[in-house]
Amino acid sequence: MSEVFCNHMEKQSILRAPRMEKHLSFNGVPEKPSTKHKTMEKHLSFHGVDEKPSSTRGVMEKHPSLQCPPENQASSSGLMEKQKSFRGLMEKQKSFRVVMERQLSFIGIGEKRRNKESPGKRGDLQLHLTARAGNLSRIKEILQSCDENDLKQLLVKQNTEGETPLYAASENGHAMVVQEMLKRMDCEAASIPAKNGYDPLHVAAKQGHLEVLKELLCKFPNLAMTTDFSCSTALHTAAAQGHVDVVNLLLETNSNLIQITRNNGKTVLHSAARMGHLEIVKSLLNKDPSTGFRTDKKGQTALHMAVKGQNVEIVLELIKPDPAVLSLEDNKGNTALHIAIKKGRIQNVRCLLSVEGININATNKAGESPLDIAEKLGTPELVSLLKEAGATNSKDNRRPPNAAKQLKQTVSDIKHEVQSQLQQTHQTGVKVQQIAKKLKKLHISGLNNAINSATVVAVLIATVAFAAIFTVPGQYVEESEVGASRGQAHIGDKGPFIVFFIFDSLALFISLAVVVVQTSVGKETAGLCD
């Protein structure tokens, strides 16, 4: 019986071998994410396998009679060692299962992160996503499935960043996708800018996508003249990024782009010189050497910008067309040498000093020479370099005042004085007008008083005259007589009374006339006073 059981255990160990091979095959599972769940199920199936040896061992311990006889002790001990090794392998499988579960949870977190950072968060349509991915066949399917009106509206749709599908394709350099879209777009739709101020041409120039630019300019050459919020063209953008091929393409398309300045007055040459792009500086100067004399709103040339950097070759390239550019001053009177010393660019200073004809003792509007600035900054190497070249301090290099500057100052003083005199004259005129108004009011007030007084007198005279006419002095005729009627005054036919009557009537009518005239005059003066 014991021999039978031992044989049975050997068969079980043989049967477990294929299972062990299956376990070993799990080493390749991480390379196949699609089979992870099945793998986990297989791992779970080993729980039963792991528990069976322990139950078998319990049975063997409970039934000693089932143990192998002494002659089979060696084979039985070997079998038990195999079972122990099998249990160790199962524990490794358990640890492997834990690692797999952690990997699955990590993958799930990564997918969530990708979902949060997906382009759809920017409000992209399917066309935006496809254009950004550069899937040309899918782009054609989407465009062909729309009618003409819907297609126009679809191509100009913007996401939350203001980007159109054409912008997305241009930004990522998908020239064939751009070409396919341009077949169905006009210039207005192709130049819609995003919220950052860049249109498809600008963003392609910034990224240096030459083929995309060729497609855009071939279809709509006028796109080269579009500007962003700072009045920068695509040429400015490409020059600042150092894309030589893009700069040459844009200059071939329209050479006038080199004349366009940004809001701060800087040309393309300013940007290229400041960023240290030598080949672009050469291309721009070959196209228009005079652009080296263009100044920005601070009065600085491209040479002023170049000496702030560390590229000596660009400095020499800018001086080469005309060394007179060395004497140009900015709004503060600084030459390129002043700027180079302020920035501490020793190599650039050495380069400038090597140019024949440079004025090493030029003073700015603050009265500082290059040597004064070097000493002020405390740079011994620059001080010694300037002194070796013969530079002096401004106090040792007194020069007669510039006649043009004196004339300008005199004109400015005269202008200021004239403006002051005009202002004083205006203030005096205002005061005179105020006094005239007060005098006029006083005159009108006095006239009104005189009119009122004369009117009162005239009314009194008229009243007395009127009363005198009807109040005749002397007696009246009480009874009718020859030559006189009853009630007639005895003095009525006397000469003196007739004279009195005539003058009294004149006084009455004259007084009434005066009252009428004075009343009308009073109304007119009241109107003038108002």
Side-chain angles (χ1 to χ4, degrees):
M1 182 67 181
S2 60
E3 292 179 0
V4 173
F5 180 74
C6 291
N7 293 332
H8 176 68
M9 293 300 293
E10 289 177 358
K11 289 181 181 180
Q12 283 186 344
S13 63
I14 294 171
L15 290 173
R16 288 191 185 106
R19 291 189 182 182
M20 293 298 294
E21 292 175 358
K22 289 183 180 181
H23 282 299
L24 295 174
S25 66
F26 278 99
N27 293 333
V29 172
E31 299 178 356
K32 297 180 180 180
S34 61
T35 61
K36 287 173 183 175
H37 296 292
K38 295 181 179 180
T39 304
M40 293 302 300
E41 293 175 1
K42 291 182 179 180
H43 280 305
L44 294 174
S45 66
F46 282 106
H47 293 171
V49 177
D50 188 28
E51 293 172 0
K52 286 178 181 179
S54 61
S55 61
T56 305
R57 186 175 64 252
V59 172
M60 291 176 68
E61 291 174 353
K62 290 180 181 179
H63 301 278
S65 61
L66 295 177
Q67 295 179 358
C68 297
E71 62 272 12
N72 294 327
Q73 286 293 327
S75 61
S76 176
S77 61
L79 180 61
M80 294 303 294
E81 289 177 358
K82 290 181 180 180
Q83 288 181 346
K84 289 181 181 180
S85 63
F86 179 74
R87 282 197 299 272
L89 182 60
M90 292 305 299
E91 290 176 357
K92 290 182 180 180
Q93 290 294 333
K94 287 181 182 180
S95 62
F96 176 74
R97 184 173 66 252
V98 172
V99 172
M100 289 298 296
E101 289 176 353
R102 290 179 180 176
Q103 287 181 347
L104 289 174
S105 63
F106 176 78
I107 292 170
I109 294 171
E111 290 176 354
K112 289 180 180 179
R113 288 180 180 175
R114 284 197 296 273
N115 290 335
K116 289 182 180 179
E117 299 172 355
S118 64
K121 298 290 286 184
R122 292 183 291 183
D124 286 336
L125 300 176
Q126 184 61 39
L127 188 59
H128 286 87
L129 299 173
T130 309
R132 188 171 282 110
N135 191 339
L136 180 60
S137 60
R138 180 58 181 159
I139 288 288
K140 289 181 178 180
E141 291 177 6
I142 295 174
L143 297 180
Q144 291 173 359
S145 63
C146 300
D147 57 24
E148 186 174 354
N149 293 330
D150 292 341
L151 183 59
K152 290 182 178 179
Q153 294 179 0
L154 181 62
L155 289 172
V156 298
K157 284 287 187 180
Q158 296 172 276
N159 61 12
T160 55
E161 299 297 327
E163 301 170 351
T164 61
L166 182 62
Y167 182 100
S170 301
E171 183 180 22
N172 290 275
H174 303 308
M176 299 303 296
V177 174
V178 170
Q179 181 185 43
E180 189 66 27
M181 289 184 178
L182 289 175
K183 294 177 182 178
R184 299 165 174 84
M185 300 179 72
D186 55 15
C187 185
E188 182 179 359
S191 61
I192 296 176
K195 289 184 178 179
N196 58 10
Y198 285 173
D199 58 21
L201 184 75
H202 275 77
V203 73
K206 180 181 179 180
Q207 301 297 333
H209 298 315
L210 184 63
E211 296 302 321
V212 173
L213 287 166
K214 288 180 179 180
E215 295 293 339
L216 290 167
L217 293 174
C218 179
K219 184 69 174 180
F220 304 114
N222 291 335
L223 288 177
M225 301 298 291
T226 59
T227 58
D228 62 5
F229 298 141
S230 62
C231 202
S232 299
T233 63
L235 183 61
H236 284 93
T237 305
Q241 298 296 323
H243 301 309
V244 181
D245 295 337
V246 174
V247 169
N248 292 332
L249 175 64
L250 291 169
L251 289 176
E252 291 174 2
T253 304
N254 192 338
S255 60
N256 293 326
L257 289 172
I258 200 173
Q259 303 295 333
I260 299 176
T261 61
R262 300 172 61 189
N263 291 338
N264 55 10
K266 296 188 186 298
T267 63
V268 181
L269 187 61
H270 282 85
S271 301
R274 183 66 185 91
M275 300 305 294
H277 301 310
L278 176 62
E279 295 302 322
I280 294 177
V281 170
K282 289 181 178 180
S283 298
L284 295 172
L285 290 175
N286 289 336
K287 203 71 175 179
D288 185 6
S290 65
T291 190
F293 287 84
R294 297 280 299 274
T295 58
D296 59 12
K297 290 187 176 180
K298 294 182 179 179
Q300 295 185 342
T301 64
L303 181 60
H304 286 88
M305 305 300 293
V307 296
K308 296 177 183 178
Q310 299 181 1
N311 196 323
V312 179
E313 293 182 1
I314 292 180
V315 175
L316 292 173
E317 197 68 30
L318 290 168
I319 298 172
K320 188 185 301 182
D322 190 349
V325 72
L326 288 168
S327 62
L328 293 182
E329 300 177 352
D330 62 9
N331 296 341
K332 295 182 179 180
N334 294 313
T335 63
L337 183 60
H338 287 87
I339 299 297
I341 294 172
K342 284 184 177 181
K343 296 295 182 180
R345 305 302 186 189
I346 298 174
Q347 295 298 328
N348 291 338
V349 172
R350 185 177 285 109
C351 173
L352 293 173
L353 293 175
S354 66
V355 179
E356 184 178 357
I358 186 173
N359 184 5
I360 60 176
N361 293 318
T363 57
N364 57 19
K365 292 183 178 180
E368 297 174 328
S369 68
L371 182 59
D372 293 333
I373 297 174
E375 291 177 346
K376 181 179 178 181
L377 294 175
T379 311
E381 189 173 355
L382 284 175
V383 173
S384 61
L385 186 63
L386 289 168
K387 287 183 176 180
E388 289 175 3
T392 60
N393 296 103
S394 57
K395 62 182 180 181
D396 300 330
N397 189 31
R398 298 290 182 185
R399 59 180 181 180
N402 193 330
K405 289 184 178 180
Q406 277 190 329
L407 179 61
K408 185 177 179 180
Q409 184 64 35
T410 303
V411 172
S412 177
D413 293 340
I414 294 173
K415 182 179 178 182
H416 177 72
E417 179 127 8
V418 169
Q419 288 178 348
S420 177
Q421 292 292 337
L422 289 174
Q423 187 175 4
Q424 290 180 358
T425 303
H426 176 70
Q427 292 176 353
T428 303
V430 171
K431 291 180 179 179
V432 169
Q433 289 178 358
Q434 291 175 352
I435 294 172
K437 286 181 180 180
K438 290 180 180 180
L439 291 174
K440 187 176 181 180
K441 287 182 180 180
L442 291 173
H443 175 69
I444 293 172
S445 178
L447 184 61
N448 286 333
N449 292 334
I451 290 172
N452 292 334
S453 300
T455 303
V456 170
V457 172
V459 170
L460 290 174
I461 293 173
T463 303
V464 173
F466 182 78
I469 291 174
F470 295 97
T471 307
V472 181
Q475 301 294 324
Y476 297 90
V477 177
E478 295 180 357
E479 294 181 0
S480 298
E481 297 179 359
V482 179
S485 61
R486 187 180 178 181
Q488 183 179 352
H490 289 291
I491 64 172
D493 54 353
K494 304 297 183 180
F497 178 74
I498 293 174
V499 173
F500 167 76
F501 180 80
I502 292 171
F503 281 101
D504 187 73
S505 299
L506 286 174
L508 174 61
F509 286 111
I510 290 173
S511 298
L512 291 175
V514 169
V515 171
V516 172
V517 172
Q518 294 290 7
T519 303
S520 62
V521 172
K523 290 181 179 180
E524 291 180 0
T525 55
L528 291 173
C529 186
D530 294 337

